[in-house]
Structure formats: structure tokens, C-alpha cells
Amino acid sequence: MVWGMKMSKSLEVYIACPWSDKGRAKAAAQQFKEAGMVLTTAWWDEEPTEDTIRLSQYALRDIDDVLNCHVFVLLNTQPRGQETSGKAVETGIAISTLKHIVLVGDGTNIFHHLRLTKVRSVEEAVLWCQQLEPVGGTVEIDLKTAQLKRVNLA
């Protein structure tokens, strides 16, 4: 699999939330679609599985979907101390690739205190995203200074 930014002219959104709340993600996706945005993922439509090959395929697909979004929306529905890990990994990918991140709900870990857009509802997240223009490009990492910057903007 080759990873890279394949951005479209429509704003592309990735929605992350706990697997147990996938119904909320699906409902949120519908709101973003109705507002004219494109979803890079539909992980909530997958059936649960214990098949390690299928799980690996899902993980790689999710990585690619996060890399190819303009905005990463985190539905943070779990209280501190009861968080699941999949959405944290996805959030880390979004942070490290300089995605716009919209946190819906309360911050529950140290990374939620970075410069993220924090809103209380999906409706607010949709309104915030409607103000954005799609931006493509790649991310360059300076290993000496640990600085990230977006380069080769489309």
C-alpha cells in the first residue's frame, strides 16, 4: 500500500469515536454529507471480527483514510479513565500529519489540550468545517528539531 495525500476539491472528513458508539459516528457522517462534505471512511459499517488478517486490513485502511482527510473529527464520548485505544491511535496520526482536528466533547488526555478546535456538538463541528477550504500536500518532519510542516501544497 502506498500512502499519500489524494485530496479532492470537496472538504474530506474522517470521523473517529469508540467502536461502541459507531451509531453516533454514522449519524454524524450523515450530517457532514448533508452539509456537502465527503467522508474518507465508513468504518462504522464493518461487522465485528476476530480475524487478524481482516483486522490488519481495517487498520491499514483507517490509516489511509486519516491521511487523506482534510479534517479529523473526534467524537470523544467516553469519560476519562474509560477511553478506548483505536481512536487515540487515529488521533495521533491526525496530529502528526497536521490535520485540522475538531474535538466534539471533553478532552480526556494530554493531547486534547493541543491547539484543537473544541466544540460541544456535531452540529457545531459541521458549522466549523463549513468555513474551511480543502488543502492538500504532504508533511515534512525535521528530525533534528522535531518540527512538522506542510509542504507541496496543492
Side-chain angles (χ1 to χ4, degrees), residues 56-71:
S56 294
Q57 291 169 338
Y58 290 168
L60 290 171
R61 182 213 46 217
D62 290 350
I63 291 168
D64 196 51
D65 291 346
V66 172
L67 291 174
N68 286 296
C69 73
H70 297 106
V71 179

Side-chain angles (χ1 to χ4, degrees), residues 12 25 31 33 36 38 49 67-68 72 75 87 124 139 148:
E12 296 188 6
Q31 290 179 267
K33 285 181 192 176
V38 174
T49 184
L67 291 174
N68 286 296
F72 179 89
L75 305 181
K87 65 181 174 56
E124 285 182 67
V139 173
L148 300 170

Side-chain angles (χ1 to χ4, degrees), residues 77-91:
T77 58
Q78 297 170 314
R80 183 164 175 80
Q82 297 176 14
E83 305 95 343
T84 55
S85 56
K87 65 181 174 56
V89 172
E90 295 161 338
T91 303

